[in-house]
Amino acid sequence: MTTTSAVPAVLSDAAAYAQAVEEAKTASAAYYEGGTSRLDDDAYDRLVRSITAYESDHPDQVLSDSPSGKVAGGAVEGDVPHTVPMLSLDNVFSDEEFTVWAASVERRIGREVARWNVQPKLDGLAIAARYEDGRLTRLVTRGDGSAGEDVSHAIGTIEGLPAELSEPATIEVRGEVLMTTAQFEYANQARTEHGGEPFANPRNAAAGTLRAKDRAYTVQMTFFGYGLLPLPGTDEALAAELAEEAHGALMDRAAGYGVNTPASTAVAGIVVPSVEQVLVRVKEIAALRAELPFGIDGIVVKADLAADQQAAGSGTRAPRWAVAFKLPAVEKITKLVGVEWNVGRTGIIAPRAVLEPVEIDGSTVTYATLHNPADITRRDLRLGDHVMVYKAGDIIPRIEAPVAHLRTGEEQEIAFPTECPQCGSGIDTSEQRWRCERGRNCYLVASISYAAGRDQLDIEGLGHTRVVQLVEAGIVASLPDLFDRVTREQLLGLERMGETSTDKLLAALEAAKRQPLSRVLCALGVRGTGRSMSRRIARYFATMDLIRAADAEAMQRVEGIGAEKAPVIVAELADLAEQIDRLAAAGLSMTEPGATPPAPAGEADGDTDAPADGDAGPLAGLKVVVTGAMTGPLEKLSRNQMNELIERAGGKSSGSVSKNTGLVVAGEGAGSKLAKAESLGVRLATPDEFAEMVADLLD
């Protein structure tokens, strides 16, 4: 698995090399001293690799202030000596590089490594926490590896680092301080409310916050331990145990003391016996990256046994028994060059960032979500800003924040629209998400075309061009008009509509009335829902009457609907009452086949948060992912129809593979999802095998 998205640049001569050294020193100092840098993590890694490659070819030209071979790139110093050097890690970027590195370790110790310990590389700042008789007395940064900076003022602001251990041990706990996604959002909110500039990303926020003193507000951070070692005054017996314990045992001991470790997360460290299994675990952790509530930028692989570590030894910058397997960058710095304002089918006016193209995680990103105008204001974004863009897994790229220290003064404020960009009507700004005052009618053609689509009512012959004709002729002004106002004579009066095409369209409209409730609900375009959510709502309530009767509390019982989304859906259904009544009167289905209504509150035994039919079916309880082209009995099914089939069979459809996936249906041309499923040991099925599993539900 090659993980780098770009190779390091080749430095052509001594002048280019010297310039690269200076740039790396400046970037490293800015990051370690204040949590800012003009380079993102991937760019810094590639710069240092370029420097190292040049020095390898020109050993006589190595500059004394080169960052290679130095902890923190040699950019920082400290005044609190470490009792044991606090080193950095060397990096590898592919399976091949790791395999070569592992072989070098085994050559150095003269035998195979007995056990490898594999754990996430947390994206934060390394610190040493010193405990005396079980009480936290001092926090020290890594510094230059031999001495660090005293940041004990941060005691009490770091979750996972207890003020007192469960035992009165005198000991040093080493680990990483970071910000979770939620902590980062709060940190930037508090920072901007107090007149500060937002941090570009959680890593920089942790570095800057850890050093901050005398702030008018407090921001919490999170600690994950990765090492234990004795201090002067440590009990001799305990010191001897620490020297002999394997890394995994040390982490168990740390957790027993009450210190937070990765064992409490979805990417807990594990011990494996071979290089091949290390690479499997690397892929597993990488697959979970996008789902984690904190950042990781790689996987740390260590010789687990103390004897192997001692035999391998350490260099001046890094231990020879541990390495960081770096993952592709999911964030990069680029420039915000514009903002587009798009109107959706429900009238929502959504801003979209236009970026200077940048490659992130194997794809070129030119747009990113901005959510809403309030989000732009909160992040203090301006045209011309350098911005940190984040992308992980299948998530739409988003802007974390402007890199404020790179501003030149030429940036411009982003202009918000004063009228609807689509139709020129007024804008309802009463909520965070602005909306055209005409709502759905603003984008009537798009709304009707969406409702007629294959995954909604599947009205054959009602494409975009035909919808435009119907709207411009005044025949259709809302979705129900298709079913209770359109006449054969009206259709025959349209250009290029003969008797045959008219009769086919009328037949298609009649067939649409037999679509299940989930399709009708989806066709209505309720804000806060889509195809999957419409299916979940319909499966849960079973009838349109029960859906419309649900209040926000009841709506939250549907999986994936939280406290913010529920009242929006309830309000939307109320606004659509007239259209729903007309659709029902026109004969469209208002029930979901196979679904059982939830029992009234207080009448059911056990959990009433799921419909009774949720436990039935051949796929009961399984999270199912479909990838590749379907063949055989499934060949004509759209992906939405496959998802409907999965849910009617009691399963849950999903678009991504993880360790919680129960089944992957892999058709022709299945790619990365199949590979991930194989690496995680997920059960696989061909289209024909899956068709047999759900044969009773196929038409």
Side-chain angles (χ1 to χ4, degrees), residues 2 8 30 65 86 90 96 172 175 258 267 274 283 317 355 373 411 417 430 450 460 465 544 559 581 618 643 688:
T2 299
D65 57 352
M86 197 169 181
D90 287 328
E96 295 74 21
E172 181 169 291
V267 286
S274 68
K283 292 179 176 64
R317 192 192 75 87
L355 308 170
E411 295 79 15
S430 61
Y450 173 81
E460 188 175 353
T465 301
M544 180 62 85
E559 181 186 359
D581 288 342
N643 291 338
D688 286 344

Side-chain angles (χ1 to χ4, degrees), residues 432-490:
Q432 281 199 341
R433 300 186 73 189
W434 292 4
R435 195 181 190 197
C436 173
E437 289 180 345
R438 294 184 64 208
R440 286 175 175 76
N441 291 331
C442 170
Y443 223 135
L444 182 59
V445 170
S447 179
I448 300 294
S449 297
Y450 173 81
R454 184 181 180 190
D455 290 334
Q456 287 69 249
L457 295 178
D458 195 15
I459 305 174
E460 188 175 353
L462 191 59
H464 177 82
T465 301
R466 192 68 68 208
V467 173
V468 170
Q469 280 186 295
L470 291 170
V471 171
E472 290 184 347
I475 297 172
V476 170
S478 67
L479 177 60
D481 288 350
L482 290 171
F483 301 97
D484 62 12
R485 291 186 180 174
V486 171
T487 66
R488 191 169 189 273
E489 289 70 25
Q490 288 174 324

Side-chain angles (χ1 to χ4, degrees), residues 29 32 74 187 227 332 380 409 491 533 611 619 621 646 681:
Y32 283 104
K332 292 283 188 72
D380 188 29
L491 294 178
M533 186 57 69
L619 303 179
I646 289 166

Side-chain angles (χ1 to χ4, degrees), residues 83-161:
T83 55
V84 175
M86 197 169 181
L87 304 181
S88 298
L89 291 174
D90 287 328
N91 296 327
V92 296
F93 296 86
S94 67
D95 292 3
E96 295 74 21
E97 288 186 14
F98 173 74
T99 302
V100 170
W101 174 86
S104 72
V105 176
E106 294 182 335
R107 284 196 303 273
R108 187 175 295 276
I109 68 177
R111 61 179 182 275
E112 288 188 357
V113 170
R115 302 196 310 240
W116 296 102
N117 190 286
V118 191
Q119 62 189 58
K121 182 179 183 298
L122 301 154
D123 199 7
L125 195 74
I127 65 166
R130 297 180 180 178
Y131 286 85
E132 295 181 9
D133 297 324
R135 298 185 70 244
L136 180 58
T137 60
R138 202 169 204 181
L139 296 179
V140 185
T141 65
R142 187 200 306 274
D144 63 0
S146 60
E149 177 186 352
D150 191 323
V151 289
S152 300
H153 59 268
I155 291 175
T157 65
I158 304 175
E159 297 178 3
L161 197 58

Side-chain angles (χ1 to χ4, degrees), residues 477-675:
S478 67
L479 177 60
D481 288 350
L482 290 171
F483 301 97
D484 62 12
R485 291 186 180 174
V486 171
T487 66
R488 191 169 189 273
E489 289 70 25
Q490 288 174 324
L491 294 178
L492 287 171
L494 297 175
E495 186 178 354
R496 296 187 302 280
M497 280 293 284
E499 291 190 2
T500 300
S501 54
T502 292
D503 290 340
K504 284 184 177 180
L505 178 53
L506 291 172
L509 289 170
E510 197 63 32
K513 297 179 181 180
R514 299 190 292 274
Q515 294 288 0
L517 170 61
S518 55
R519 296 290 195 99
V520 176
L521 188 61
C522 189
L524 286 166
V526 177
R527 278 193 294 164
T529 71
R531 291 172 297 186
S532 297
M533 186 57 69
S534 295
R535 288 197 302 270
R536 291 180 202 165
I537 294 172
R539 295 289 293 175
Y540 182 87
F541 290 104
T543 72
M544 180 62 85
D545 286 344
L546 288 176
I547 293 174
R548 297 173 71 180
D551 58 15
E553 181 180 355
M555 193 62 68
Q556 287 182 62
R557 298 188 185 118
V558 178
E559 181 186 359
I561 298 180
E564 292 185 6
K565 184 178 288 187
V568 173
I569 295 174
V570 171
E572 276 282 286
L573 289 166
D575 288 344
L576 290 165
E578 181 184 357
Q579 290 197 40
I580 295 172
D581 288 342
R582 287 178 57 194
L583 290 173
L588 274 76
S589 174
M590 295 291 150
T591 60
E592 186 69 9
T596 303
E603 293 187 11
D605 294 326
D607 180 13
T608 61
D609 286 353
D613 71 301
D615 295 328
L619 303 179
L622 287 181
K623 181 179 175 182
V624 183
V625 174
V626 178
T627 182
M630 296 297 101
T631 55
L634 309 177
E635 184 175 6
K636 295 184 179 180
L637 297 186
S638 68
R639 193 52 47 90
N640 188 54
Q641 289 172 318
M642 284 290 295
N643 291 338
E644 288 178 337
L645 184 59
I646 289 166
E647 292 174 15
R648 282 195 288 126
K652 177 182 176 182
S653 60
S654 175
S656 60
V657 179
S658 72
K659 67 176 183 179
N660 298 319
T661 303
L663 177 69
V664 170
V665 184
E668 293 181 356
S672 59
K673 292 180 183 178
L674 174 59

Side-chain angles (χ1 to χ4, degrees), residues 1 15 109 119 140 149 170 196 199 219 265 272 291 313 321 377 385 391 436 445 525 548 585 602 694:
M1 172 175 88
I109 68 177
Q119 62 189 58
V140 185
E149 177 186 352
T170 296
F199 287 111
V219 173
T265 73
V272 297
E291 303 172 16
W321 44 267
T377 301
D385 263 334
K391 177 177 180 285
C436 173
V445 170
R548 297 173 71 180
V694 296

